[in-house]
Coordinates of all heavy atoms in Angstrom, one line a residue:
Chain B
Q45 N 67.6 -37.8 98.8 CA 68.5 -36.6 98.6 C 68.9 -36.5 97.1 O 69.4 -37.5 96.6 CB 69.7 -36.6 99.5 CG 70.5 -35.4 99.4 CD 71.7 -35.4 100.4 OE1 72.2 -36.5 100.8 NE2 72.2 -34.2 100.7
L46 N 68.7 -35.4 96.5 CA 69.2 -35.2 95.1 C 70.7 -35.1 95.0 O 71.2 -34.2 95.7 CB 68.5 -34.0 94.5 CG 68.9 -33.6 93.1 CD1 68.3 -34.7 92.1 CD2 68.3 -32.3 92.7
L47 N 71.3 -36.0 94.3 CA 72.7 -35.9 94.1 C 73.1 -35.0 92.9 O 74.0 -34.1 93.0 CB 73.3 -37.3 93.8 CG 73.5 -38.2 94.9 CD1 74.0 -39.6 94.4 CD2 74.4 -37.7 96.0
L48 N 72.4 -35.1 91.8 CA 72.7 -34.3 90.6 C 71.6 -34.5 89.6 O 70.7 -35.4 89.8 CB 74.1 -34.7 90.0 CG 74.4 -36.2 89.8 CD1 73.7 -36.8 88.6 CD2 75.9 -36.4 89.7
K49 N 71.6 -33.6 88.6 CA 70.6 -33.7 87.6 C 71.1 -33.2 86.3 O 72.1 -32.4 86.2 CB 69.4 -32.8 88.0 CG 69.8 -31.3 88.2 CD 68.7 -30.5 88.9 CE 69.1 -29.1 89.2 NZ 68.1 -28.3 89.9
Y50 N 70.5 -33.7 85.2 CA 70.9 -33.3 83.9 C 69.6 -32.8 83.1 O 68.7 -33.6 83.0 CB 71.5 -34.4 83.1 CG 71.7 -34.1 81.6 CD1 72.8 -33.3 81.2 CD2 70.8 -34.6 80.7 CE1 72.9 -33.0 79.9 CE2 71.0 -34.2 79.3 CZ 72.0 -33.4 78.9 OH 72.2 -33.1 77.6
F51 N 69.7 -31.6 82.6 CA 68.6 -31.1 81.8 C 69.1 -30.9 80.4 O 68.4 -31.3 79.5 CB 68.1 -29.7 82.4 CG 67.3 -29.8 83.6 CD1 67.2 -28.8 84.5 CD2 66.7 -31.0 84.0 CE1 66.5 -28.8 85.7 CE2 65.9 -31.1 85.2 CZ 65.8 -30.0 86.0
S52 N 70.2 -30.3 80.2 CA 70.7 -30.1 78.8 C 72.2 -29.6 79.0 O 72.7 -29.3 80.1 CB 69.9 -29.1 78.0 OG 69.9 -27.8 78.6
G53 N 72.8 -29.4 77.8 CA 74.2 -28.8 77.8 C 75.3 -29.8 78.1 O 75.2 -30.9 77.6
D54 N 76.2 -29.4 78.9 CA 77.4 -30.3 79.2 C 76.9 -31.6 79.6 O 76.2 -31.8 80.6 CB 78.3 -29.6 80.2 CG 79.6 -30.3 80.3 OD1 79.8 -31.4 79.8 OD2 80.5 -29.7 81.0
T55 N 77.4 -32.7 79.0 CA 77.0 -34.0 79.3 C 77.6 -34.6 80.6 O 77.2 -35.6 81.0 CB 77.2 -35.0 78.1 OG1 78.6 -34.9 77.8 CG2 76.4 -34.5 76.9
L56 N 78.6 -34.0 81.1 CA 79.2 -34.4 82.4 C 78.7 -33.4 83.4 O 79.0 -32.2 83.4 CB 80.7 -34.4 82.3 CG 81.5 -34.9 83.5 CD1 81.2 -36.4 83.7 CD2 83.0 -34.7 83.3
V57 N 78.0 -33.9 84.4 CA 77.4 -33.0 85.4 C 78.0 -33.4 86.8 O 78.3 -34.6 87.1 CB 75.9 -33.1 85.5 CG1 75.3 -32.6 84.2 CG2 75.4 -34.6 85.7
Q58 N 78.3 -32.4 87.5 CA 78.8 -32.5 88.9 C 77.7 -32.4 89.9 O 76.8 -31.6 89.7 CB 79.9 -31.5 89.1 CG 81.0 -31.4 88.1 CD 81.8 -32.7 88.1 OE1 82.1 -33.3 89.2 NE2 82.2 -33.2 87.0
G59 N 77.8 -33.2 90.9 CA 76.8 -33.2 92.0 C 77.5 -32.9 93.3 O 78.6 -32.6 93.5
I60 N 76.7 -33.2 94.3 CA 77.1 -33.1 95.7 C 77.9 -34.3 96.1 O 77.9 -35.3 95.5 CB 76.0 -32.8 96.7 CG1 75.0 -34.0 96.7 CG2 75.3 -31.5 96.3 CD1 74.0 -33.9 97.8
K61 N 78.7 -34.2 97.2 CA 79.4 -35.3 97.8 C 80.4 -35.9 96.9 O 80.8 -37.0 97.0 CB 78.5 -36.4 98.3 CG 77.4 -35.9 99.3 CD 76.6 -37.1 99.8 CE 75.6 -36.6 100.8 NZ 74.8 -37.7 101.4
G62 N 80.9 -35.1 95.9 CA 82.0 -35.6 95.0 C 81.5 -36.5 93.9 O 82.3 -37.1 93.2
F63 N 80.2 -36.6 93.7 CA 79.7 -37.5 92.6 C 79.6 -36.7 91.3 O 79.4 -35.5 91.3 CB 78.3 -38.0 93.0 CG 78.3 -39.1 94.0 CD1 78.1 -38.8 95.4 CD2 78.4 -40.4 93.6 CE1 78.1 -39.7 96.3 CE2 78.3 -41.4 94.6 CZ 78.2 -41.1 95.9
E64 N 79.7 -37.5 90.2 CA 79.4 -36.9 88.9 C 78.7 -38.0 88.0 O 78.7 -39.2 88.4 CB 80.8 -36.5 88.2 CG 81.7 -37.7 87.9 CD 82.9 -37.3 87.1 OE1 83.3 -36.1 87.3 OE2 83.5 -38.1 86.4
A65 N 78.1 -37.5 87.0 CA 77.4 -38.5 86.1 C 77.6 -38.0 84.7 O 77.7 -36.8 84.4 CB 75.9 -38.6 86.4
E66 N 77.6 -38.9 83.7 CA 77.8 -38.6 82.3 C 76.6 -39.0 81.5 O 76.2 -40.2 81.6 CB 79.1 -39.2 81.8 CG 79.4 -38.7 80.4 CD 80.8 -39.2 79.9 OE1 81.4 -40.0 80.6 OE2 81.2 -38.7 78.8
F67 N 76.0 -38.1 80.8 CA 74.9 -38.5 79.9 C 75.5 -38.9 78.6 O 76.2 -38.1 77.9 CB 74.0 -37.2 79.7 CG 72.9 -37.4 78.7 CD1 72.0 -38.4 78.7 CD2 72.9 -36.4 77.6 CE1 71.0 -38.5 77.7 CE2 71.9 -36.5 76.6 CZ 71.0 -37.6 76.7
K68 N 75.1 -40.1 78.1 CA 75.5 -40.6 76.8 C 74.3 -40.9 76.0 O 73.7 -42.0 76.2 CB 76.4 -41.8 76.9 CG 77.8 -41.4 77.6 CD 78.7 -42.7 77.6 CE 80.1 -42.3 78.1 NZ 81.0 -43.5 78.1
R69 N 73.9 -40.0 75.1 CA 72.7 -40.2 74.4 C 72.7 -41.5 73.5 O 71.8 -42.2 73.4 CB 72.4 -39.0 73.5 CG 71.1 -39.1 72.7 CD 71.0 -37.9 71.7 NE 71.1 -36.6 72.4 CZ 70.1 -36.0 72.9 NH1 68.9 -36.5 72.8 NH2 70.3 -34.8 73.4
S70 N 73.9 -41.7 72.9 CA 74.0 -42.9 72.0 C 73.8 -44.2 72.7 O 73.4 -45.2 72.1 CB 75.3 -42.9 71.3 OG 76.4 -43.0 72.3
Q71 N 74.1 -44.2 74.0 CA 74.0 -45.4 74.8 C 72.7 -45.4 75.7 O 72.5 -46.3 76.5 CB 75.2 -45.7 75.7 CG 76.5 -45.8 74.8 CD 77.7 -46.0 75.7 OE1 77.7 -46.3 76.8 NE2 78.9 -45.7 75.1
S72 N 72.0 -44.3 75.7 CA 70.9 -44.1 76.6 C 71.3 -44.4 78.0 O 70.6 -45.1 78.8 CB 69.7 -45.0 76.2 OG 69.2 -44.7 74.9

Side-chain angles (χ1 to χ4, degrees):
Chain B
Q45 182 179 25
L46 179 67
L47 284 176
L48 46 79
K49 58 190 176 185
Y50 171 78
F51 286 157
S52 65
D54 193 346
T55 57
L56 185 63
V57 294
Q58 302 297 321
I60 61 172
K61 304 185 177 185
F63 286 92
E64 66 177 26
E66 186 172 11
F67 170 59
K68 293 185 177 180
R69 184 187 302 274
S70 62
Q71 299 177 20
S72 297

